[in-house]
Amino acid sequence: MTSHSLGSLKIWFVTGSQHLYGPEAVGQVAEHAARIAAELGASLAVPVDIEVRPVQTEADSIRRVMLDANGDDTCLGVIAWMHTFSPAKMWIAGLNALQKPLLHLHTQFHRDLPWATIDMDFMNLNQSAHGDREFGYLETRLGLRRSTVVGHWQDPETHRRVGVWARAAIGRHTGAHLKLARFGDNMRDVAVTEGDKVEAQIRWGVSVNTYPVNELVDAVGEVTDADVDVLVGEYDDTYGMVPELRAGGEKRGSLREAARIELGLRGFLEAGGFDAFTDSFEDLGTLAQLPGIAVQRLMADGFGFGGEGDWKTACLVRVFKAMGEGLPGATSFMEDYTYHLDPFGPLILGAHMLEVCPSLSGAVPRCEIHPLSIGGKADPVRLVFTADPGPGLVAGLIDIGDRMRLVANVIDVVEPLEPLEVLPVAHATWAPAPNLATAAECWLLAGGPHHTALTTALTVEHVEILAEMVGVELVTIDAESSPRRLKQELLWNRAAWTLLG
Ligand code: MN
């Protein structure tokens, strides 16, 4: 795995000015820029450091700073702010060269006008109000995809919006460096989990490649009994173990086999630097069980996962997990499974055969073993729990032939109306916005998949910015949605994406 920590990642803060007002003014600009960058970087709402770069006053150095941003793997993107007036033709070459996300921060150093003392020196220094308009014109003229945030740099709402943008940039960065290992192909005859892996790599940067399941079987076979002993002990200490899996229990051997699979799988992924993976119950080679607890624990450690060869959802799970690092809430692979169609409160019960991420629950999961009616393997060990309630969203990525589309639905994860006492899999219950019937109608019209990444760490705002950064169509279903308007949106999108690509 390349990195599951935000660690050294940062955002560059680039301030524009010009030489018209003398070196003293540029010096003050630099001082103000450093204070703003430091305040934003230190904000709890912003997940990474913000590094102030030298004040830019000339086309050559502007181009150079943007090329350097491209070349620095720790640079997530660039925040640009025009403190004075910075004639924007100087920025053409640099902005054309920039391949990282751009945030145009429209702020000014002072919050309030010094009404009684304001003079022409003050006016010349503090010109963001029109300096940023010059910059905005050029961004639009160049057709740049970017975010624009307006607000005083000490305003918590400004911090929040910069933080949301930074998290979207983390998502883009994660996709660009993501390596996914597939064990087996997509489930036979399933349509929506297929897709163009070349297009995915062009847009997102994700590298998706297949490895023979025999290599995984070999990795599992090399795990030592001593290592299995240690991991089984960790299971015993961490989960509510059903009697048959406890030491001396009749299924203890299955638990040991599950631990062996986890160690082999984890070792394979770590050795190859993989951040995400898929498997297929149709292609397990001589693995004893479909990986259950192994997949669940790997997801909890930050790996992306998709069942039945679903590499697109696996990528999305990994990207969302990276974006949500450090936030309350969690992200998991999910599937819309079955409905509660009570007209007074319709709900969706989401689950999968086994593979739901335990980070969704603050409670201690139960570790259980039950038969799986498909795949023809031994009974798989799995963690069983109920997802914690909270606002969130589900999102899925589809290939619609000439492009990819991200479909997102705002949801509220709720407590199940009654305990699901005999359900042998982890699960989440949610109410989609605006209501189940409208949400599902819109989802079906948009062609949304049955597998999703469910997250209670992120909001639609994060996903919207991510989609724009990556250059992928986004269809959002929320409180405002109606099937009629959505049909129009899909028609317009089809025309626009055909024209604009
Ligand atoms: Mn599935």
Side-chain angles (χ1 to χ4, degrees):
M1 169 160 302
T2 47
S3 167
H4 277 180
S5 162
L6 304 180
S8 60
L9 298 177
K10 50 181 149 340
I11 289 160
W12 286 13
F13 193 92
V14 177
T15 305
S17 187
Q18 63 175 332
H19 285 303
L20 196 62
Y21 316 109
E24 198 185 318
V26 175
Q28 271 182 290
V29 168
E31 212 174 286
H32 291 173
R35 276 195 60 190
I36 294 175
E39 163 117 357
L40 289 173
S43 170
L44 291 177
V46 179
V48 293
D49 278 345
I50 297 187
E51 185 174 305
V52 70
R53 307 300 294 182
V55 174
Q56 298 299 315
T57 55
E58 287 169 354
D60 283 348
S61 71
I62 291 170
R63 184 175 147 276
R64 178 53 52 194
V65 77
M66 298 307 181
L67 290 172
D68 289 348
N70 292 343
D72 187 336
D73 278 342
T74 68
C75 174
L76 292 169
V78 172
I79 296 177
W81 170 53
M82 304 302 115
H83 190 343
T84 61
F85 191 81
S86 187
K89 280 155 73 173
M90 298 193 303
W91 289 81
I92 291 174
L95 289 178
N96 271 334
L98 181 65
Q99 294 167 331
K100 296 277 174 83
L102 176 65
L103 171 67
H104 182 187
L105 178 64
H106 184 43
T107 191
Q108 64 183 14
F109 188 69
H110 59 285
R111 192 193 73 175
D112 299 337
L113 271 183
W115 300 97
T117 59
I118 189 166
D119 58 11
M120 212 52 216
D121 284 346
F122 185 96
M123 296 280 273
N124 282 335
L125 184 64
N126 298 285
Q127 303 185 30
S128 306
H130 67 279
D132 274 324
R133 284 166 206 261
E134 166 78 352
F135 191 72
Y137 161 73
L138 184 77
E139 291 174 296
T140 296
R141 174 72 190 267
L142 294 175
L144 289 186
R145 294 197 303 260
R146 82 278 189 184
S147 292
T148 304
V149 170
V150 180
H152 190 250
W153 54 282
Q154 290 171 315
D155 183 339
E157 175 62 8
T158 303
H159 292 202
R160 189 194 68 78
R161 291 194 64 198
V162 170
V164 170
W165 177 84
R167 288 190 178 277
I170 290 166
R172 192 211 70 97
H173 174 91
T174 301
H177 296 269
L178 198 154
K179 280 179 70 182
L180 181 144
R182 314 179 71 209
F183 302 109
D185 202 347
N186 305 77
M187 181 178 165
R188 283 187 283 277
D189 290 323
V190 173
V192 75
T193 55
E194 295 283 356
D196 182 343
K197 298 193 281 288
V198 178
E199 173 68 11
Q201 190 155 2
I202 291 169
R203 285 285 166 182
W204 293 78
V206 295
S207 161
V208 177
N209 287 293
T210 298
Y211 293 83
V213 75
N214 284 347
E215 288 189 19
L216 175 58
V217 169
D218 290 346
V220 171
E222 285 162 17
V223 172
T224 66
D225 287 342
D227 287 343
V228 170
D229 291 343
V230 171
L231 185 55
V232 165
E234 186 181 328
Y235 291 173
D236 284 333
D237 292 344
T238 311
Y239 308 115
M241 203 62 69
V242 291
E244 62 264 37
L245 292 176
R246 290 179 197 154
E250 57 181 299
K251 296 286 180 67
R252 186 68 169 181
S254 297
L255 188 72
R256 293 185 62 83
E257 196 55 47
R260 196 177 295 281
I261 291 172
E262 176 182 335
L263 290 164
L265 182 53
R266 189 183 290 274
F268 185 99
L269 296 172
E270 285 175 351
F274 298 106
D275 307 292
F277 65 105
T278 66
D279 62 15
S280 167
F281 69 89
E282 290 173 337
D283 191 357
L284 294 173
T286 55
L287 279 185
Q289 312 167 11
L290 176 65
I293 188 173
V295 169
Q296 293 177 293
R297 284 168 48 88
L298 285 162
M299 260 196 285
D301 288 340
F303 286 87
F305 173 78
E308 294 110 37
D310 186 351
W311 55 271
K312 298 196 300 299
T313 306
C315 289
L316 208 51
V317 169
R318 170 66 200 130
V319 166
F320 282 4
K321 279 181 176 287
M323 289 168 70
E325 192 178 313
L327 291 175
T331 297
S332 176
F333 176 60
M334 189 54 69
E335 183 165 44
D336 296 79
Y337 229 100
T338 194
Y339 291 144
H340 176 66
L341 288 179
D342 178 350
F344 295 103
L347 297 168
I348 297 175
L349 178 67
H352 204 252
M353 289 185 294
L354 308 168
E355 310 94 333
V356 175
C357 181
S359 63
L360 288 182
S361 170
V364 175
R366 297 191 307 282
C367 187
E368 302 185 7
I369 182 166
H370 303 277
L372 193 70
S373 55
I374 54 175
K377 292 288 182 177
D379 298 352
V381 176
R382 79 289 306 272
L383 298 173
V384 180
F385 55 87
T386 299
D388 293 339
L393 61 94
V394 287
L397 189 62
I398 55 169
D399 182 334
I400 52 173
D402 60 351
R403 66 183 183 279
M404 289 199 167
R405 170 182 290 160
L406 193 55
V407 187
N409 188 188
V410 173
I411 64 168
D412 244 317
V413 180
V414 299
E415 292 285 1
L417 301 187
E418 296 177 38
L420 296 150
E421 277 168 4
V422 296
L423 188 64
V425 289
H427 48 268
T429 304
W430 67 86
N435 56 67
L436 193 153
T438 304
E441 186 173 340
C442 289
W443 189 273
L444 298 177
L445 287 169
H450 55 270
H451 286 164
T452 59
L454 181 151
T455 179
T456 52
L458 304 175
T459 65
V460 160
E461 201 179 344
H462 293 99
V463 178
E464 282 169 350
I465 300 169
L466 172 70
E468 191 177 17
M469 284 176 180
V470 171
V472 67
E473 179 189 2
L474 172 66
V475 173
T476 301
I477 302 162
D478 61 14
E480 313 287 304
S481 292
S482 80
R484 193 179 68 184
R485 278 199 306 277
L486 191 98
K487 277 189 179 181
Q488 292 172 335
E489 180 184 335
L490 294 174
L491 182 66
W492 297 333
N493 281 6
R494 192 169 141 202
W497 283 87
T498 304
L499 279 172
L500 305 173

